[in-house]
Amino acid sequence: MGQSGRSRHQKRARAQAQLRNLEAYAAQPHSFVFSRGRAGRGVRQLSLDLRRVMEPLTASRLQVRKKNSLKDCVAVAGPLGVTHFLILSKTETSIYFKLIRLPGGPTLTFQINKYTLVRDVVSSLRRHRMHEQQFTHPPLLVLNSFGPHGMHVKLMATMFQNLFPSINVHKVNLNTIKRCLLISYNPDSQELDFRHYSIKVVPVGASRGMKKLLQEKFPNMSRLQDISELLATGAGLSESEAEPDGEHNITELPQAIAGRGNMRAQQSAIRLTEIGPRMTLQLIKIQEGVGEGNVLFHSFVHKTEEELQAILAAKEEKLRLKAQRQDQQAQNVQRKREQREAHKKKSLAGMKRSQAEADGDSDAEDPGAPPEAEGAGQQEEEDEAEYFRQAVGEEPDEDMFPKARRRRPNGPPSKKRRVKERKLDRGSDRRPPKAKGKPWRAQAKLGPRGAAQNSGRGRPRPPK
């Protein structure tokens, strides 16, 4: 049996081809098309039609919520390789279209004077040519009348060119060009005409009947005597089926194109059918950054050199203050980090010292309490000793409050003190004194728990 499946070399070649395709796809420009704010139903539909124009290098199912800001979109666009934003918005006075280059700008703001949706354009045509295969490749961009009319016009042309991948005229496959995007500039009114067309290539030099047969659309030949009448004159066909071709759209094909009769080095006619949308744009201003920055060009506001210098100085001062705040914040962060490290070291040293004292390590050095703590402890014990004197009426023992200072009597010792010292000198082997006011017989014998214990039922016996 032969080896089933692909060989090792075929798998390797296919993997390398897929990698090259991914790299080529990632190198092409990609875009996000969405609307911002309360745009309305018409503007939202216009944004969806613009997505159809930018396919397949755009996010067809992009959803932008109201809470998403422009910074959120920019943050998402970076990892996805998005290079352009096409944003539509609406105000009380007009509709605006912003074209933004990522990640650093510039931002071109246009005012939409007129627009027509795809459904309106298609409904106005007798026969339209629009199918899904046309949107598998980006359209061919055609710029008209973008001559030396100023730097802003040159910048507009560059921005529109970077929206779509570049084309190598020597290696391009004509079968991938199914659509055409025409942007025409009118220097008198300073407006842009945005048009979107479908491209159809048909052979020329054949009769209408032959074209009909090549397209596999057999006409009604019931009135004809011979098929030669159909091939020679195209009898029985309506005039609407024949489109006028001339020198303006007839060319010689450099390669074969999909379609019956479109052979290499043969004459074919290129026909355009508008599929929408239409827009009439007017440039308002050009900014440096993404939605903010210095205004490089403005159609309505013109500033003098002094005003520009004042604006530049104010911006530089703002940047200087911002840098100063950032430096101060960095110093504060460093200072707090050092304080945390010092506190951490001090805490670890205290934990080690406490553990060494608990383990009974005699070799560990005891730094002792700080003098403030010693003074506070001594003052507290003196207060307790004073409270003991007032409550008991005697001096506390030496081991009861070691840190408290003992009060020395100024005058001669009292009688009570002399009796106490005399008792201490005699020793503790003497018999305890009798209780005052009670005879020996009235005292009960106490047990180990302090309860009175009687040896008999009668009166308690006196102790021996």
Side-chain angles (χ1 to χ4, degrees):
M1 294 178 63
Q3 184 178 1
S4 61
R6 299 182 180 89
S7 64
R8 180 177 57 185
H9 300 287
Q10 290 176 340
K11 293 180 180 178
R12 185 182 303 170
R14 173 161 293 196
Q16 293 177 356
Q18 290 179 355
L19 182 61
R20 288 194 299 269
N21 292 336
L22 290 176
E23 291 178 353
Y25 181 78
Q28 294 175 350
H30 296 72
S31 61
F32 277 173
V33 184
F34 55 94
S35 59
R36 299 290 295 168
R38 296 183 178 180
R41 183 181 301 177
V43 178
R44 288 197 298 268
Q45 184 61 40
L46 180 60
S47 65
L48 297 180
D49 294 343
L50 280 178
R51 289 184 187 180
R52 295 287 288 174
V53 176
M54 302 302 297
E55 283 185 358
L57 301 177
T58 188
S60 302
R61 300 181 180 180
L62 177 65
Q63 295 182 359
V64 180
R65 297 181 176 88
K66 295 181 180 179
K67 63 181 180 180
N68 296 132
S69 62
L70 185 60
K71 292 184 179 180
D72 299 336
C73 299
V74 173
V76 173
L80 297 179
V82 177
T83 58
H84 292 82
F85 279 174
L86 285 78
I87 306 175
L88 294 172
S89 60
K90 182 180 179 180
T91 62
E92 297 179 356
T93 57
S94 182
I95 302 172
Y96 295 94
F97 167 65
K98 287 188 177 183
L99 179 59
I100 303 176
R101 170 72 178 184
L102 299 179
T107 301
L108 275 66
T109 303
F110 298 91
Q111 181 180 358
I112 302 178
N113 296 331
K114 303 176 184 178
Y115 74 92
T116 306
L117 301 178
V118 172
R119 62 190 180 196
D120 299 328
V121 173
V122 172
S123 63
S124 64
L125 299 176
R126 178 180 297 180
R127 291 177 300 174
H128 65 87
R129 294 191 69 259
M130 187 168 58
H131 49 83
E132 291 298 330
Q133 294 181 357
Q134 294 176 336
F135 301 95
T136 57
H137 299 281
L140 174 66
L141 178 64
V142 179
L143 299 178
N144 184 30
S145 299
F146 281 85
H149 301 294
M151 292 300 297
H152 63 284
V153 179
K154 186 176 181 180
L155 182 58
M156 278 194 300
T158 305
M159 288 288 290
F160 285 121
Q161 287 176 353
N162 293 333
L163 271 176
F164 304 97
S166 59
I167 295 177
N168 189 349
V169 294
H170 300 287
K171 298 181 180 180
V172 65
N173 184 8
L174 296 181
N175 290 315
T176 61
I177 301 177
K178 299 294 183 181
R179 294 179 293 135
C180 173
L181 178 61
L182 173 63
I183 301 177
S184 179
Y185 177 72
N186 189 352
D188 298 332
S189 61
Q190 297 183 356
E191 291 182 346
L192 297 173
D193 293 329
F194 187 95
R195 299 290 186 271
H196 187 211
Y197 298 96
S198 172
I199 299 178
K200 181 182 179 182
V201 181
V202 295
V204 296
S207 63
R208 287 179 290 172
M210 180 61 70
K211 295 178 183 178
K212 202 74 171 179
L213 292 177
L214 291 175
Q215 295 175 1
E216 295 183 355
K217 295 180 180 180
F218 297 97
N220 186 7
M221 295 184 293
S222 60
R223 300 179 182 180
L224 303 178
Q225 299 295 329
D226 194 288
I227 193 173
S228 60
E229 298 180 6
L230 176 66
L231 299 179
T233 60
L237 299 178
S238 62
E239 293 295 332
S240 61
E241 297 182 11
E243 299 185 11
D245 297 326
E247 296 180 357
H248 63 281
N249 65 335
I250 294 178
T251 183
E252 182 178 346
L253 298 180
Q255 55 182 267
I257 300 179
R260 297 183 180 272
N262 295 320
M263 305 300 294
R264 182 180 179 182
Q266 297 293 329
Q267 295 289 329
S268 295
I270 300 175
R271 297 173 182 172
L272 302 179
T273 304
E274 188 174 3
I275 58 178
R278 298 179 187 174
M279 286 191 299
T280 302
L281 308 175
Q282 183 179 5
L283 181 64
I284 301 298
K285 64 179 178 179
I286 301 176
Q287 293 176 283
E288 283 186 352
V290 179
E292 58 183 6
N294 292 335
V295 179
L296 304 179
F297 171 82
H298 205 288
S299 299
F300 306 128
V301 180
H302 303 281
K303 296 184 179 295
T304 61
E305 187 67 24
E306 292 78 8
E307 293 176 344
L308 293 176
Q309 292 295 334
I311 293 174
L312 184 60
K315 186 173 182 180
E316 291 179 353
E317 180 67 18
K318 183 178 179 180
L319 293 176
R320 186 186 65 80
L321 294 177
K322 183 178 179 180
Q324 183 178 358
R325 290 194 303 268
Q326 290 178 352
D327 295 340
Q328 184 66 26
Q329 291 174 358
Q331 294 177 3
N332 294 338
V333 170
Q334 182 66 22
R335 177 176 54 81
K336 292 179 180 179
R337 185 182 294 111
E338 293 176 356
Q339 290 178 356
R340 286 196 300 268
E341 293 294 334
H343 180 69
K344 183 178 180 181
K345 292 180 180 179
K346 186 176 180 181
S347 301
L348 291 176
M351 292 170 61
K352 290 181 179 179
R353 183 169 61 250
S354 302
Q355 186 177 3
E357 293 177 357
D359 295 342
D361 188 3
S362 59
D363 297 335
E365 297 182 358
D366 188 7
E372 296 83 0
E374 291 182 358
Q378 182 177 359
Q379 182 66 26
E380 184 179 358
E381 291 199 0
E382 288 181 357
D383 296 342
E384 293 180 357
E386 184 64 26
Y387 177 76
F388 184 86
R389 293 189 190 97
Q390 295 178 3
V392 180
E394 298 179 357
E395 285 290 334
D397 298 338
E398 296 181 357
D399 55 351
M400 184 176 296
F401 304 105
K403 295 183 179 180
R405 299 178 180 177
R406 296 188 63 83
R407 182 180 298 176
R408 300 296 180 181
N410 298 330
S414 61
K415 180 179 180 181
K416 188 175 182 180
R417 182 176 181 83
R418 290 195 302 270
V419 172
K420 186 175 182 180
E421 291 178 356
R422 194 181 303 116
K423 289 180 180 179
L424 292 176
D425 294 340
R426 293 178 182 177
S428 60
D429 54 345
R430 295 189 59 188
R431 188 175 181 178
K434 297 181 181 180
K436 296 181 179 180
K438 292 184 180 181
W440 284 102
R441 296 181 179 181
Q443 295 181 0
K445 185 178 181 181
L446 300 178
R449 297 185 179 179
Q453 296 180 359
N454 297 331
S455 57
R457 297 182 179 179
R459 307 175 73 177
R461 297 180 181 179
K464 294 182 182 181

